[in-house]
Amino acid sequence: MRQLRPLSLAVALVVLPGVVLPPTVRSSPTVDLHWNSCTSTLMNLDGGQGSTPKLVVTAHGLTGTIRGYYLGIRFWSLGALLPQAWRFDSEGCAAGLLTGGAVSSNAACPRLGGYPSPTTYQYQYLGEGVSRGWLGFSSQFPAFVADPATTYTLAEFNFDFGGTFNGAGSRADSCGCLDRPLCLALTDHEWFDGDLQPRSMASIRDALTWNDPTNTNVCPIGP
């Protein structure tokens, strides 16, 4: 799997005053995060014990031949350790309770790419300094010609909070602090063309919040 890199790959288009762009110039493809559905525009999701939220990543405006893509998503809670309920790493309290892949559960946003489609994803806990979680995901598939008018699903991730609880503390069979505000930020996003060269996507809705309607985590700036 590629080395995870906490760097944004978003591309900015600068237009000088008085310069008119020719009609052949195309904007960069865009990538978005969604709660629960590829068509959702909800920025904050309030959830608690027993909830099973879904994080959906989509792309729009892709064109030409595509062979794969890579995503990186960061999780944090400002001024505090990453909640145990979000420790999906192999040594964390919630190990094995994060599942996902290059699938689509909504026909409005079909899955990008054909079969077979080997995927790799890894969740890491970064405990030094400001603790945070890091989810890296990649998919590779045979050459696929994208329709720029279609919104494609890149990935869906399912969080199982059936064995969690609100508030601090620890229990032998569950993970705490689920009610703590959290930021989920998309910091890496690129697709690979027919020659497997990386191409940029501009992020539109690049961050979502959990139990934080007033954005106390200053998401997506954060730590």
Side-chain angles (χ1 to χ4, degrees):
M1 180 177 176
R2 299 174 66 249
Q3 182 67 32
L4 301 181
R5 297 170 293 132
L7 298 173
S8 174
L9 298 175
V11 174
L13 178 64
V14 178
V15 180
L16 297 177
V19 175
V20 178
L21 293 177
T24 55
V25 173
R26 297 176 180 177
S27 60
S28 173
T30 58
V31 60
D32 289 293
L33 293 179
H34 312 264
W35 278 123
N36 292 330
S37 170
C38 68
T39 58
S40 172
T41 58
L42 187 68
M43 300 298 293
N44 176 72
L45 182 64
D46 291 325
Q49 184 176 1
S51 59
T52 55
K54 178 186 298 182
L55 180 65
V56 183
V57 188
T58 64
H60 185 83
L62 293 167
T63 185
T65 301
I66 299 177
R67 297 280 301 279
Y69 53 88
Y70 172 74
L71 305 169
I73 303 171
R74 185 172 59 162
F75 303 71
W76 78 84
S77 184
L78 193 62
L81 294 175
L82 186 70
Q84 289 294 315
W86 291 86
R87 284 288 308 274
F88 300 109
D89 54 285
S90 59
E91 298 180 358
C93 181
L97 298 180
L98 166 64
T99 59
V103 297
S104 173
S105 58
N106 191 327
C109 314
R111 173 184 175 275
L112 178 66
Y115 292 96
S117 179
T119 61
T120 303
Y121 80 93
Q122 180 181 18
Y123 189 95
Q124 296 181 341
Y125 174 64
L126 308 177
E128 297 183 4
V130 178
S131 72
R132 57 193 182 274
W134 185 266
L135 173 62
F137 181 84
S138 64
S139 178
Q140 186 175 340
F141 38 81
F144 176 83
V145 178
D147 178 358
T150 298
T151 297
Y152 293 100
T153 295
L154 303 184
E156 292 185 355
F157 301 105
N158 302 287
F159 306 101
D160 182 357
F161 292 132
T164 61
F165 60 94
N166 295 333
S170 61
R171 302 175 186 173
D173 60 348
S174 56
C175 312
C177 299
L178 181 61
D179 55 331
R180 185 179 297 164
L182 196 83
C183 174
L184 299 82
L186 182 65
T187 52
D188 266 338
H189 36 81
E190 59 188 15
W191 60 279
F192 300 96
D193 64 19
D195 296 320
L196 292 178
Q197 295 301 304
R199 304 292 182 181
S200 298
M201 291 186 284
S203 57
I204 301 299
R205 189 181 300 104
D206 61 353
L208 301 175
T209 58
W210 168 264
N211 288 333
D212 194 9
T214 59
N215 195 17
T216 60
N217 275 307
V218 199
C219 188
I221 301 173

